[in-house]
């Protein structure tokens, strides 16, 4: 397989999970709630999904080679992410806490909690001293004819099933944000919540639901990483991809399609850098440097593109009905 | 209810805020199909009273009856259900949405894609809004985006919003405060048209002239109490004004001829561009002497505000020079300018003039907090802030619920303006720039500010006044400069120009 193919295949495998997390972030932030908690949400979602899939195997709920646990684990991960996001939603919407602090605290809480629970559950339920839940490796699919197209064929080669799922989610959530009543209310809540309130829509409800969506989508993203990069769940899942998703949605100007482009850029930057390291045959400690490429890119882009960006006007503002 | 004609009745309404009774035992009746006006000093409680009718606040005591039924209006939603709508002092529009999207916000019509998936279909809305707009002559394009529209159009969007929701009772809170004279008469026409259509209109305004022009009856509030309900046809504006203030109002302003001293401000060939790179003033030159009020007249958007911003140092100068007492200050930052003796009352009081979430005392000291007695060795002295604020509140008659410690946001619009005026006048500056200083103020406060300008002039200060109101300019100016499309068309002593002449220059009809 050529290096270009590998760059495309690996790039998409990273970009699409980033995208689904970022879409979640967009929902939250377009509704006016800063969401730095994506990292913690994706971790907790993945923890729930992995615990479920691991239990399926350990307790023989399904046939040994069934793919059902994997597919179902994505639903569980979404539910887990949404559940954890309730904390952020409660703090920010109901108790009007500072949204940045709430996000950061949730991230710390998520790392500590999943670490503790993983080893405790392993010890007591599965009677093993492990600090991780091992998962099967996700199958990779290849479309017969299309994959033979030069270069572009790589898009249809050796992709994970969840990449298809994410593309479907992309269409669905784009439609929700721009074409449905709920989406209109979300975007209005982030621009001028007073106007939405005056129009008779409960701002806090809209924001609450938007934050839950961000949790669910982040959970799905986290589960993707558990099945692709790792094939297990452990504290290693907290790689900073939640923050990278935030960077992507900011470059994407809080819009879904431009954010997709930003995610692709990050994905290809990383896979391109690792291919480069391979080609140059440098040793692995230098190779780890490739991992910093997306982050370095973030810094550089941040410096150049920030001034063209416009955050939702009421982002981070605590909505107070009586304010005038 | 015997009187079927009464659409809204308020009985013994009282509303308290911490430290203040905003409405005190108010009872009144409003009839179907009339234009009912509210007048009263800043902070008299007009907005509060109408906010209760619109469900934003609940009365502490008293009852509201609508169409003969007692109602508890606990949210704007319920008000809308009763056919009551309100255009606020600050518009409630989503700025990156189109006109039509704003109008249907909350009641978006849903169509099913493939008979299955619900989505919002804007096409019928655009059509309906366009028809509605044409019917009332509002001239609004449903597909334009709010942030691209001027204030006056945004206001008509708010009106459309009410009409689209089939409101019967329309409340306008100071709708003319932000408008130019031309836009005002346009709006008053619209309001008349609404009445012909059978709507009931409640109009809060400070401009007694407007009440005289359109209203049928007028309620006067003072310190939260209802003073009188008057038939507009049989009362003069002078009556209304004295009821409003609680004493005889003297409209005339004593003004002796100016005794100009040396030149304080010299602006030469000033060109300023806006953020889009368009020149908004072109080669403007003029001088202001000590002891002179130089007023710039012009229709809104003629470049006068940008000119004032540039002189104050808020926006960069493209070419030309600004000299203060002979010193070039063209590129000087705002703080040194302030210290050199420039004070500034900006047009946008909420965004530029004040920090709304600060206390009143902090706002009053926000141009001098770094100096003694407020700050010594970089440590702030709260006592000095308190004492200073108490003094200004008393001398400038700023009405606020908790004195120096009032949250600025909670103050009424007019009193926010008074706070800015107090702060700037106290700067003791050589050059004072006033941009629309009396906008949103009650008649008493307006006269006080105009008298203050003349007083400061007599102390030998140079005053630059930018106003959209010709009356104001003619009342105080010593010299009038008329701007049109970014150019200073004419500069002449005030006593050598008639109102008509100034008007002609303003419209660009006449050239020097
Ligand atoms: N939410 C609030 N919290 C505290 N005080 C308030 C609040 N709203 C209004 N007030 C106070 O109630 C009084 C009446 O205010 P209101 O806004 O009704 O005055 P107004 O007649 O509309 O004045 P203006 O002409 O300046 O707009 C003011 O003293 C104001 O400071
Ligand atoms: Mg008011």
């Amino acid at each position: 397989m050529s290096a270009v193919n590998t760059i495309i295949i690996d790039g998409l495998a990273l970009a699409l999970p980033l995208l689904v997390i970022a879409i979640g972030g967009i929902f939250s932030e377009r509704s006016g709630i800063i969401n730095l908690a994506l990292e913690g949400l994706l971790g907790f979602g993945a923890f729930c999904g992995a615990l479920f899939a691991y239990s399926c195997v350990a307790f023989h709920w399904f046939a040994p080679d069934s793919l059902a646990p994997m597919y179902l684990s994505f639903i569980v991960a979404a539910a887990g992410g949404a559940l954890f996001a309730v904390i952020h939603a409660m703090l920010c919407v109901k108790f009007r806490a500072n949204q940045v602090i709430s996000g950061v605290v949730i991230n710390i809480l998520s790392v500590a909690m999943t670490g503790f629970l993983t080893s405790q559950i392993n010890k007591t339920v599965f009677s093993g001293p492990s600090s991780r839940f091992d998962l099967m490796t996700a199958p990779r699919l290849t479309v017969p004819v299309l994959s033979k197209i030069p270069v572009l064929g790589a898009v249809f080669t050796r992709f994970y099933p969840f990449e298809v799922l994410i593309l479907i989610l992309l269409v669905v959530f784009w439609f929700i944000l721009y074409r449905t009543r709920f989406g209109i209310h979300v975007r209005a809540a982030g621009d001028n919540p007073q106007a939405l309130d005056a129009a008779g829509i409960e701002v806090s409800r809209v924001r609450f639901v938007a934050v839950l969506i961000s949790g669910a989508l982040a959970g799905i993203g986290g589960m993707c990483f558990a099945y692709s990069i790792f094939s297990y769940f452990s504290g290693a899942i907290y790689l900073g991809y939640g923050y990278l998703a935030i960077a992507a949605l900011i470059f994407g100007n809080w819009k879904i399609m431009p954010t997709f482009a930003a995610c692709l850029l990050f994905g290809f930057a990383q896979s391109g850098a690792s291919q480069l390291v391979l080609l140059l045959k440098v040793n692995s400690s230098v190779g780890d440097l490739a991992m910093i490429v997306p982050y370095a890119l973030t810094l550089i882009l941040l410096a150049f593109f920030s001034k063209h960006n416009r955050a939702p006007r009421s982002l981070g503002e605590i909505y107070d009905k009586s304010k005038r | 209810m015997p009187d079927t004609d009464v659409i809204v009745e308020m009985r013994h309404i009282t509303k308290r805020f911490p430290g203040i009774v905003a409405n005190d035992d108010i009872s009144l009746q409003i009839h179907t199909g009339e234009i009912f006006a509210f007048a009263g000093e800043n902070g008299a409680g007009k907005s509060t009273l109408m906010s209760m009718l619109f469900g934003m606040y609940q009365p502490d005591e008293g009852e509201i009856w609508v169409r003969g039924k007692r109602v508890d209006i606990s949210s704007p939603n319920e008000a809308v259900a009763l056919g009551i709508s309100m255009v606020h002092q600050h518009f409630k529009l989503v700025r990156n949405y189109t006109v039509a999207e704003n109008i249907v916000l909350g009641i978006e019509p849903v169509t099913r894609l493939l008979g299955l998936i619900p989505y919002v279909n804007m096409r019928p809305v655009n059509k309906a809004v366009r028809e509605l707009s044409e019917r009332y002559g509002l001239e609004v394009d449903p597909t334009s985006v709010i942030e691209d529209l001027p204030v006056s159009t945004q206001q008509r969007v708010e009106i459309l919003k009410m009409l689209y929701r089939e409101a019967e009772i329309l409340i306008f809170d100071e709708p003319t405060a932000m408008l130019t004279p031309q836009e005002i008469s346009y709006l008053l026409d619209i309001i008349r048209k609404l009445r012909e259509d059978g709507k009931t209109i409640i109009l809060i305004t400070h401009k007694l002239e407007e009440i005289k022009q359109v209203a049928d009856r007028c309620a006067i509030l003072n310190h939260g109490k209802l003073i009188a309900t008057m038939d507009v046809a049989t009362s003069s504006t002078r009556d209304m004004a004295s009821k409003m203030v609680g004493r005889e109002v003297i409209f005339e302003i004593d003004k002796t001829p100016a005794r100009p001293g040396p030149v304080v401000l010299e602006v030469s060939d000033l060109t300023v561009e806006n953020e889009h790179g368009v020149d908004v003033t072109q080669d403007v030159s003029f001088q202001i002497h000590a002891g002179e009020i130089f007023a710039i007249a012009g229709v809104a958007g003629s470049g006068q505000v940008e000119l004032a911003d540039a002189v104050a140092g808020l926006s960069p100068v493209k070419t030309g020079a600004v000299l203060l007492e002979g010193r070039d200050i063209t590129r000087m930052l705002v703080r040194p300018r302030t210290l050199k003796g420039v004070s500034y009352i900006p047009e946008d009081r909420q965004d530029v003039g004040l920090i709304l979430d600060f206390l009143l005392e902090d706002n009053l000291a926000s141009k001098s907090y770094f100096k003694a007695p407020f700050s010594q060795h970089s440590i702030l002295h709260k006592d000095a802030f308190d004492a200073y604020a108490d003094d200004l509140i008393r001398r400038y008659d700023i009405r606020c619920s908790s004195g120096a410690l009032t949250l600025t946001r909670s103050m009424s619009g007019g009193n926010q303006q008074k706070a800015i005026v107090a702060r700037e006048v106290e700067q003791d500056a050589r050059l004072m720039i006033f941009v629309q200083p009396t906008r949103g103020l009650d008649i008493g406060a307006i006269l006080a500010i105009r008298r203050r300008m003349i007083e400061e002039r007599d102390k030998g200060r140079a005053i630059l006044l930018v106003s959209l109101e010709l009356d104001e300019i003619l009342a105080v100016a010593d010299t009038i400069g008329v701007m049109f499309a970014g150019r200073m068309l004419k500069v002449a002593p005030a006593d050598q120009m008639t109102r008509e002449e100034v008007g002609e220059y303003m419209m660009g009809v006449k050239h020097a």
Side-chain angles (χ1 to χ4, degrees):
Chain A
M1 197 175 301
S2 75
V4 174
N5 275 8
T6 314
I7 290 175
I8 294 179
I9 292 167
D10 290 355
L12 284 175
L14 173 60
L16 289 168
L18 267 187
L19 173 65
V20 77
I21 299 166
I23 292 176
I26 288 176
F27 267 77
S28 171
E29 302 219 331
R30 284 305 286 265
S31 83
I33 304 287
I34 299 173
N35 199 339
L36 294 182
L38 292 177
E39 179 81 359
L41 296 175
L42 78 85
F44 193 82
F47 164 80
C48 295
L51 175 60
F52 169 80
Y54 194 56
S55 309
C56 287
V57 176
F59 301 127
H60 311 291
W61 288 344
F62 293 90
D65 51 355
S66 164
L67 286 178
M70 183 185 84
Y71 290 117
L72 290 176
S73 72
F74 278 90
I75 297 175
V76 176
L83 186 73
F84 211 55
V86 169
I87 304 176
H88 194 50
M90 286 295 264
L91 282 174
C92 298
V93 179
K94 194 147 193 293
F95 297 107
R96 302 178 183 184
N98 180 302
Q99 300 170 6
V100 171
I101 295 176
S102 164
V104 170
V105 167
I106 285 172
N107 289 339
I108 297 169
L109 183 68
S110 176
V111 175
M113 225 167 94
T114 57
F116 172 75
L117 288 176
T118 309
S119 50
Q120 286 303 306
I121 292 174
N122 264 316
K123 199 153 68 196
T124 55
V125 183
F126 305 113
S127 39
S130 170
S131 61
R132 56 191 237 192
F133 297 133
D134 284 308
L135 303 171
M136 60 183 285
T137 38
R140 287 180 170 237
L141 314 173
T142 299
V143 183
V145 181
L146 292 176
S147 57
K148 296 287 176 281
I149 306 169
V151 188
L152 268 188
V155 173
F156 304 100
T157 311
R158 290 178 48 72
F159 56 86
Y160 291 104
F162 61 71
E163 294 181 43
V164 183
L165 169 72
I166 290 171
L167 289 174
I168 295 170
L169 291 178
L170 167 70
V171 175
V172 170
F173 281 91
W174 182 90
F175 186 84
I176 292 178
L177 188 60
Y178 293 104
R179 290 288 180 272
T180 65
R181 293 192 64 195
F182 175 69
I184 288 176
H185 299 163
V186 166
R187 288 180 290 130
D191 184 275
N192 189 347
Q194 278 82 7
L196 188 63
D197 194 21
I201 303 295
E202 198 63 57
V203 175
S204 46
R205 253 235 313 272
V206 172
R207 289 185 164 178
F208 206 97
V209 175
V211 174
L212 293 198
I213 289 178
S214 77
L217 294 184
I220 291 176
M223 205 62 224
C224 296
F225 292 134
Y227 269 116
S228 58
I229 304 176
F230 300 106
S231 74
Y232 57 79
F233 172 86
S234 79
I237 198 107
Y238 299 98
L239 261 179
Y241 284 146
Y243 298 111
L244 202 57
I246 295 171
L249 75 89
I250 293 174
F251 295 139
N253 223 342
W254 289 266
K255 295 188 177 116
I256 289 182
M257 285 307 164
T259 300
F260 188 13
C263 290
L264 288 176
L265 184 72
F266 286 145
F268 292 140
Q270 178 138 13
S271 61
S274 9
Q275 279 305 301
L276 195 69
V277 171
L278 278 183
L279 284 178
L280 297 177
K281 298 200 170 51
V282 287
N283 73 33
S284 73
S285 60
V286 180
D288 284 347
L289 264 180
M291 294 295 283
I292 72 163
V293 169
Y295 305 98
L297 196 67
T298 307
L299 286 176
I300 293 166
L301 290 178
L302 204 58
F304 287 102
F305 288 99
S306 293
K307 61 174 173 292
H308 301 294
N309 273 344
R310 257 182 39 193
R313 213 177 310 252
S314 303
L315 181 60
E317 222 173 78
I318 294 164
Y319 179 58
D320 181 357
K321 263 181 191 283
S322 61
K323 215 161 154 176
R324 50 183 197 170
Chain B
M1 283 286 300
D3 200 344
T4 50
D5 215 26
V6 174
I7 189 160
V8 173
E9 179 172 8
M10 302 196 132
R11 296 186 184 170
H12 305 291
I13 299 284
T14 296
K15 177 74 188 171
R16 299 182 193 90
F17 287 116
I20 201 158
V21 184
N23 292 137
D24 190 357
D25 192 21
I26 291 182
S27 301
L28 51 82
Q29 297 185 329
I30 297 170
H31 299 281
T32 309
E34 74 172 337
I35 300 181
F36 190 91
F38 278 97
E41 294 183 296
N42 296 121
K46 309 177 291 292
S47 299
T48 305
L49 188 64
M50 286 304 109
S51 300
M52 284 189 282
L53 181 56
F54 189 55
M56 297 201 305
Y57 299 129
Q58 277 63 55
D60 294 329
E61 286 163 32
E63 301 172 354
I64 298 176
W65 294 63
V66 176
R67 295 187 195 87
K69 279 204 198 72
R70 183 167 172 203
V71 289
D72 269 319
I73 311 175
S74 58
S75 73
N77 253 343
E78 290 171 32
V80 171
L82 288 168
I84 303 171
S85 262
M86 181 160 179
V87 177
H88 300 269
Q89 257 165 313
H90 303 285
F91 303 149
K92 296 193 188 287
L93 296 171
V94 179
R95 276 166 284 186
N96 53 6
Y97 279 18
T98 67
V99 168
E101 282 170 339
N102 267 288
I103 287 170
V104 292
L105 189 64
I107 47 170
E108 302 86 353
V110 168
T111 316
R112 281 179 188 273
L113 188 65
L114 313 171
L116 204 68
I117 307 162
Y119 75 104
V120 174
N121 187 358
M122 289 307 293
R123 208 166 298 145
V125 180
N126 286 342
K127 188 158 160 279
V129 170
R130 187 164 286 129
E131 282 168 8
L132 207 54
S133 160
E134 275 161 16
R135 186 162 133 220
Y136 289 96
L138 293 173
E139 295 176 30
V140 176
D141 174 9
T143 57
S144 37
V145 177
I146 296 298
E147 56 197 352
D148 301 335
L149 298 175
V151 178
S152 57
T153 315
Q154 292 187 16
Q155 183 177 58
R156 299 204 293 277
V157 175
E158 289 278 16
I159 297 175
L160 273 174
K161 206 155 107 183
M162 303 197 287
L163 295 174
Y164 188 86
R165 278 149 215 256
E166 295 177 345
E168 290 297 320
I169 303 166
L170 313 185
I171 308 170
F172 290 86
D173 194 351
E174 292 192 43
T176 58
M178 317 273 272
L179 304 184
T180 64
Q182 289 83 355
E183 290 166 345
I184 291 175
S185 61
Y186 183 25
L187 177 71
L188 295 183
D189 282 343
I190 294 170
I191 289 181
R192 282 194 200 96
K193 218 174 278 177
L194 292 170
R195 174 179 54 187
E196 279 161 30
D197 228 45
K199 312 271 185 202
T200 304
I201 289 160
I202 299 174
L203 177 67
I204 301 177
T205 180
H206 285 298
K207 299 188 186 146
L208 302 175
E209 287 304 323
E210 290 166 7
I211 295 180
K212 196 73 192 152
Q213 279 177 44
V214 295
D216 300 306
R217 291 191 307 143
C218 167
I220 311 261
L221 299 187
N222 187 336
H223 284 96
K225 289 198 176 63
L226 180 67
I227 301 299
T229 311
M230 310 168 86
D231 253 321
V232 172
T234 57
S235 359
S236 68
T237 48
R238 204 169 266 269
D239 288 345
M240 294 186 225
S242 51
K243 284 238 168 48
M244 208 168 106
V245 183
R247 60 186 146 75
E248 195 63 28
V249 180
I250 300 151
F251 281 91
E252 290 68 33
I253 297 180
D254 278 332
K255 184 167 166 247
T256 51
R259 282 173 287 121
V263 173
V264 173
L265 177 74
E266 175 156 12
V267 171
S268 47
D269 300 322
L270 197 71
T271 300
V272 180
E273 58 179 18
N274 64 11
E275 68 261 44
H276 306 299
V278 179
D279 288 351
V280 281
T281 75
Q282 288 171 23
D283 300 327
V284 171
S285 302
F286 61 92
Q287 292 182 335
I288 309 180
H289 300 83
E292 176 189 85
I293 298 180
F294 185 99
I296 299 181
V299 296
S302 299
Q304 63 274 63
V305 175
E306 289 84 353
L307 178 71
D309 275 349
V311 174
L314 260 65
S315 54
V317 167
K318 188 176 167 194
T319 55
V322 180
L323 295 147
L324 184 71
E325 299 188 305
R327 290 173 68 155
D328 191 342
I329 60 162
T330 317
R331 314 254 163 234
M332 199 181 263
L333 295 175
V334 176
R335 165 83 62 90
R337 256 185 237 238
T338 308
L339 295 176
K340 286 265 171 326
V342 178
S343 74
Y344 184 46
I345 293 165
E347 179 182 37
D348 190 334
R349 71 173 72 120
Q350 298 214 321
D351 279 349
V352 182
L354 293 168
I355 304 172
L356 291 179
D357 290 315
F358 273 22
L359 299 181
L360 175 58
E361 62 175 20
D362 297 330
N363 272 305
L364 287 173
S366 65
K367 282 207 169 165
S368 36
Y369 68 90
F370 50 88
K371 292 190 286 206
F374 304 107
S375 162
Q376 270 157 351
H377 313 296
S378 294
I379 291 172
L380 297 179
H381 292 279
K382 239 11 197 173
D383 302 350
F385 282 74
D386 289 343
Y388 183 68
D390 286 338
D391 181 40
L392 263 53
I393 288 169
R394 190 174 43 75
R395 281 178 24 230
Y396 290 84
D397 189 25
I398 304 170
R399 311 239 170 113
C400 45
S401 51
S402 335
L405 302 181
T406 308
L407 187 66
T408 311
R409 188 181 292 283
S410 78
M411 292 166 53
S412 79
N415 282 295
Q416 292 178 355
Q417 180 72 350
K418 285 191 197 170
I420 299 179
V421 170
R423 178 184 71 207
E424 296 302 323
V425 169
E426 288 297 309
Q427 291 297 305
D428 226 358
R430 226 59 58 70
L431 171 69
M432 299 173 66
I433 305 171
F434 291 83
V435 182
Q436 297 266 64
T438 59
R439 194 169 71 182
L441 295 195
D442 64 60
I443 182 73
I446 290 176
L447 293 171
I449 287 187
R450 291 185 185 161
R451 291 203 177 95
R452 169 75 65 172
M453 273 193 265
I454 291 168
E455 223 172 87
E456 297 297 321
R457 176 201 75 169
D458 292 341
K459 284 191 209 153
R461 304 192 203 295
I463 293 179
L464 172 61
L465 167 68
V466 172
S467 178
L468 295 177
E469 282 177 61
L470 207 43
D471 286 331
E472 178 151 285
I473 287 179
L474 295 170
V476 300
D478 299 311
T479 312
I480 299 177
V482 190
M483 283 187 76
F484 176 75
R487 293 184 182 281
M488 189 71 87
L489 282 192
K490 173 84 179 172
V491 176
D495 49 16
Q496 290 176 21
M497 275 210 276
T498 63
R499 171 184 283 269
E500 288 66 35
E501 262 182 296
V502 178
E504 282 171 4
Y505 283 113
M506 279 168 62
M507 307 312 282
V509 183
K510 196 165 169 172
H511 298 270

